[in-house]
Amino acid sequence: MENKLLEGKTAVVTGGSRGIGKGIALKLAELGANVVINYRSSAKAVEEVIKEIEAQGVKAIAIQGDISNFKEAENIIKGTIENFKTIDILVNNAGITADGLIMRMKEEDFDNVVQVNLKGAFNCIRHASPYMVKQRSGKIINISSVVGITGNAGQANYAAAKAGIIGLTKSVARELASRGINVNAVAPGFIQTDMTEVLSDKVKEGTLANIPLKKFGNCEDIAELVAFLASDKASYITGQVINVDGGMVI
Ligand code: NAI
């Protein structure tokens, strides 16, 4: 049998019960990784994902937890180690939006978005990195966004958090490089998921007009890059932010 690219690796995907996280989890499983799906509330959806992953002939478990909570993030990583002994791949995917113009943005909407998108990634990296350092190997992939690079009217909170992810990625990449750990960020453009489904047709049309490839992306477009970055084929890549955006930001 052909050796799969991620055979025997353990991957954790935060917010993996739907959307981009689910796409990533399925792709990593297809390549042979055992997968831990973190989810916050959708127990039913996660069960389905677990079944789909197991159908690939690998192991999968679900761990409930809010990544924005330091202790709960620790439980996700500890649960991974208890079940699989190692943590080879950490994908910080979970994220939320709470859009609004700056003059009307509620303090709690700023705080929540930063707390989940940025602090959540920190929490998981903080708890996973000691294990990766001990193993002297690991791949950390953080899901940022093109708006973390360009900014976006109505998303000051989200863009700030996603820009923060980029600084986090570059700093941790520098710190952990000598331990054989690669840390990169992926910046998706407009990907068709529940998160973007809620946007108005006007916003969608306006966005499409600014995409040179003239189409929205799908979860597989992101999953393909994440799988590559999670593999040893990408061992000489670290501290990078790679856009998957149909040319939105060139
Ligand atoms: P989604 O809303 O479909 O999925 C996000 C997942 O994260 C959900 O399963 C949700 O339950 C989970 N989650 C939210 N807060 C959590 C918390 N505190 N703890 C644990 N899990 C939590 O969104 P989508 O579109 O799949 O986005 C995935 C990532 O990609 C996010 O970080 C998002 O910001 C990013 N992204 C998405 C783009 C898009 O066009 N859809 C564009 C650029 C970035």
Side-chain angles (χ1 to χ4, degrees):
M1 204 178 82
E2 191 196 341
N3 217 5
K4 291 186 173 178
L5 206 54
L6 302 176
E7 188 102 65
K9 304 277 186 197
T10 304
V12 177
V13 182
T14 66
S17 65
R18 70 180 200 196
I20 293 173
K22 176 180 173 183
I24 292 169
L26 292 174
K27 185 77 206 172
L28 298 179
E30 185 191 317
L31 296 176
N34 296 319
V35 184
V36 175
I37 305 277
N38 153 252
Y39 70 103
R40 192 181 39 178
S41 52
S42 33
K44 185 125 192 63
V46 86
E47 252 176 58
E48 291 303 313
V49 183
I50 296 285
K51 275 190 207 144
E52 278 187 63
I53 292 179
E54 285 173 342
Q56 311 264 18
V58 296
K59 294 189 190 121
I61 60 164
I63 302 183
Q64 195 276 333
D66 177 348
I67 54 148
S68 70
N69 180 300
F70 195 67
K71 202 82 207 128
E72 292 188 31
E74 183 177 29
N75 289 340
I76 298 165
I77 304 301
K78 274 194 175 159
T80 302
I81 297 293
E82 276 161 21
N83 278 277
F84 293 113
K85 310 269 185 294
T86 63
I87 172 166
D88 304 295
I89 300 158
L90 169 64
V91 184
N92 285 308
N93 163 80
I96 57 167
T97 51
D99 298 351
L101 296 171
I102 191 69
M103 286 199 291
R104 284 199 292 254
M105 186 173 283
K106 290 196 206 111
E107 184 185 8
E108 69 190 66
D109 284 344
F110 188 89
D111 289 347
N112 288 343
V113 167
V114 171
Q115 188 74 21
V116 173
N117 292 278
L118 180 55
K119 179 79 185 307
F122 161 77
N123 287 342
C124 294
I125 294 172
R126 172 66 185 79
H127 293 301
S129 53
Y131 296 103
M132 289 183 169
V133 165
K134 217 164 146 201
Q135 291 164 198
R136 299 194 76 81
S137 70
K139 310 277 188 205
I140 299 173
I141 298 133
N142 300 318
I143 307 300
S144 177
S145 166
V146 288
V147 308
I149 298 166
T150 63
N152 194 22
Q155 289 196 307
N157 50 0
Y158 182 74
K162 293 301 192 183
I165 289 256
I166 293 174
L168 177 72
T169 299
K170 292 182 178 182
S171 303
V172 180
R174 286 182 186 276
E175 279 187 39
L176 301 183
S178 64
R179 315 300 179 94
I181 299 164
N182 303 64
V183 189
N184 292 290
V186 173
F190 190 114
I191 308 299
Q192 286 177 302
T193 67
D194 292 345
M195 186 180 269
T196 47
E197 184 54 38
V198 294
L199 298 170
S200 70
D201 287 346
K202 197 170 156 229
V203 169
K204 286 182 189 162
E205 281 160 26
T207 307
L208 194 57
N210 288 316
I211 302 176
L213 287 179
K214 291 288 166 242
K215 58 180 180 184
F216 295 131
N218 57 44
C219 296
E220 290 70 36
D221 293 322
I222 306 302
E224 286 291 346
L225 176 61
V226 171
F228 170 69
L229 291 172
S231 79
D232 287 336
K233 289 192 177 187
S235 285
Y236 203 54
I237 302 174
T238 200
Q240 302 306 304
V241 184
I242 305 177
N243 293 11
V244 182
D245 65 356
M248 241 172 142
V249 179
I250 294 181

